[in-house]
Amino acid sequence: MTDSGALLSDNVPECTVPEISDPRLYMAVGGTSLSVISLFCNSLIAIVLIRSSHTHFFFFALLAISDTFLSVMYGPVIAMEIIKDVFRELWLTRIFWSYMPSLLTACNISMTFSTFLIILATTERFMITIKSERLRWFRTHRGFLAGCALVLAVLLKGGMFWEFVNQQK
């Protein structure tokens, strides 16, 4: 019988795993893992709140949908930026910059919209607490108010797209 350790060391070159020295790569992997969990949780919350017969969760349902969108966008926007910087491949950089302006603009619009939804939900809760006379109007115009919040978010953050496009040139 021959020593199997001697056979392996004589015939097969030593295998090594390349060391990853950039801790941002671990952040990309960890962040993507958390975004998958967030995607699942926010999707579940959105489904439950949309199917609910209680309309007072309207703003929270929209917030869950907006957060689901942000969870989906983490990989292509944040993680891909880290990956392209770590590996320094030209083709990765070209792919990233081909979609980054539109996706990052959409993410910023979604974050601003989420902020406005939180303000609207807080306003509604406050009106319930103080038993405001305007509560009935507020409740009947929830969709209109959410639409206004979306339009305002697009007006405030939509110009980012052209900032990125002009910066590239």
Side-chain angles (χ1 to χ4, degrees):
M1 284 198 90
T2 60
D3 184 18
S4 61
L7 271 177
L8 286 176
S9 64
D10 291 341
N11 297 332
V12 179
E14 185 177 329
C15 294
T16 59
V17 176
E19 228 179 274
I20 299 174
S21 60
D22 195 344
R24 294 182 310 153
L25 195 56
Y26 295 116
M27 186 176 77
V29 171
T32 302
S33 302
L34 290 175
S35 74
V36 169
I37 294 168
S38 174
L39 174 67
F40 173 74
C41 292
N42 281 311
S43 298
L44 183 64
I45 291 169
I47 290 169
V48 168
L49 292 180
I50 288 171
R51 289 185 179 177
S52 174
S53 61
H54 305 290
T55 59
H56 56 272
F57 291 125
F58 177 75
F59 295 124
F60 293 116
L62 291 178
L63 181 64
I65 292 168
S66 180
D67 286 348
T68 300
F69 173 76
L70 289 171
S71 297
V72 170
M73 291 299 111
Y74 180 86
V77 175
I78 306 298
M80 186 63 175
E81 181 177 13
I82 294 170
I83 291 168
K84 77 164 180 65
D85 288 344
V86 169
F87 291 112
R88 295 183 181 160
E89 292 287 337
L90 183 60
W91 64 273
L92 280 176
T93 303
R94 286 185 178 153
I95 290 172
F96 176 75
W97 280 103
S98 70
Y99 67 77
M100 194 279 296
S102 56
L103 288 188
L104 191 59
T105 302
C107 287
N108 278 285
I109 290 170
S110 181
M111 287 187 286
T112 305
F113 178 57
S114 294
T115 303
F116 291 151
L117 288 173
I118 292 169
I119 292 169
L120 287 170
T122 304
T123 303
E124 184 177 21
R125 297 294 178 245
F126 177 71
M127 292 171 91
I128 291 169
T129 303
I130 65 167
K131 296 177 178 53
S132 174
E133 296 172 1
R134 303 257 179 201
L135 181 60
R136 178 176 290 212
W137 181 90
F138 194 87
R139 285 182 171 168
T140 57
H141 292 86
R142 283 183 182 131
F144 172 74
L145 292 169
C148 288
L150 182 60
V151 168
L152 186 59
V154 169
L155 289 174
L156 291 173
K157 296 296 181 174
M160 289 182 68
F161 176 79
W162 288 280
E163 289 179 26
F164 288 118
V165 170
N166 289 335
Q167 184 181 12
Q168 285 178 342
K169 292 178 183 177

